[in-house]
Amino acid sequence: MALAVLSGCTDHPPTPSAPPPASPAASPGTTLDMPPESFGPPPPAPTPTGRLEMSPAGYGPFRIGMTQQEVTDAGLVAGLSPDGCGSASGFPGTPEVDFWGGELVRVRVAGPTVDTVPIGATVADVQAAYPAGRAVTGAGGVTGWLVVDGANAMLVEFTAGTATAVTAGVTTTVEEVFAGARGC
């Protein structure tokens, strides 16, 4: 005697099964694949070199004028005292940051992570790229090239004719720190 087991072969129509569980509904105006804006500023757009952009407006996600709370909430820095200076350790280029009145007024990078002005560029290269800038001398005779854009500026520092650091921020703060009149 042979036994055959048939599955799915019947003369009866299929019985309806329970509907699939409903997925959680998103609230109006919210998508499930993007975090809300309260998570801080969007990450910087990648550059072809993988480095972050530096301009008088800031460095990557560090935008001049951001509040210290915004910078902290975005996870860019931690452990800063109010109106303090500090470093964004663990971030490309380990930027040095300076807050005044609770706002980011200066960010300085001395690592090869800047795309706009490569660390290692010559004075002539920087002057050609930013002809509207002007030469400045800082504390201890350090030279720089200052490019002002409205209330903000970008300063390229040189050692032996080679770019070694780039600073963005409020023009007066950038100049005062470079001259040694105020410091982090």
Side-chain angles (χ1 to χ4, degrees):
M1 172 181 209
L3 228 224
V5 177
L6 300 173
S7 81
C9 296
T10 67
D11 290 335
H12 303 302
T15 57
S17 61
S23 60
S27 61
T30 304
T31 62
L32 296 177
D33 59 341
M34 294 298 295
E37 289 180 18
S38 63
F39 286 166
T47 63
T49 63
R51 296 177 179 173
L52 298 178
E53 297 276 333
M54 174 73 85
S55 75
Y59 172 63
F62 294 90
R63 308 317 302 162
I64 303 305
M66 289 175 78
T67 67
Q68 186 168 339
Q69 189 65 49
E70 288 173 323
V71 173
T72 303
D73 288 349
L76 301 175
V77 296
L80 296 175
S81 62
D83 288 339
C85 299
S87 295
S89 60
F91 196 84
T94 312
E96 178 184 286
V97 294
D98 188 3
F99 294 90
W100 187 257
E103 290 188 358
L104 181 64
V105 293
R106 187 180 74 90
V107 59
R108 179 179 183 269
V109 180
T113 60
V114 178
D115 189 53
T116 315
V117 178
I119 301 300
T122 66
V123 172
D125 291 338
V126 173
Q127 289 174 340
Y130 300 98
R134 62 182 163 89
V136 292
T137 302
V142 176
T143 60
W145 190 252
L146 184 71
V147 180
V148 177
D149 183 15
N152 295 338
M154 181 175 72
L155 172 71
V156 182
E157 298 173 37
F158 297 99
T159 301
T162 303
T164 54
V166 184
T167 302
V170 175
T171 302
T172 54
T173 302
V174 170
E175 289 179 307
E176 287 172 358
V177 172
F178 187 64
R182 181 175 155 209
C184 272

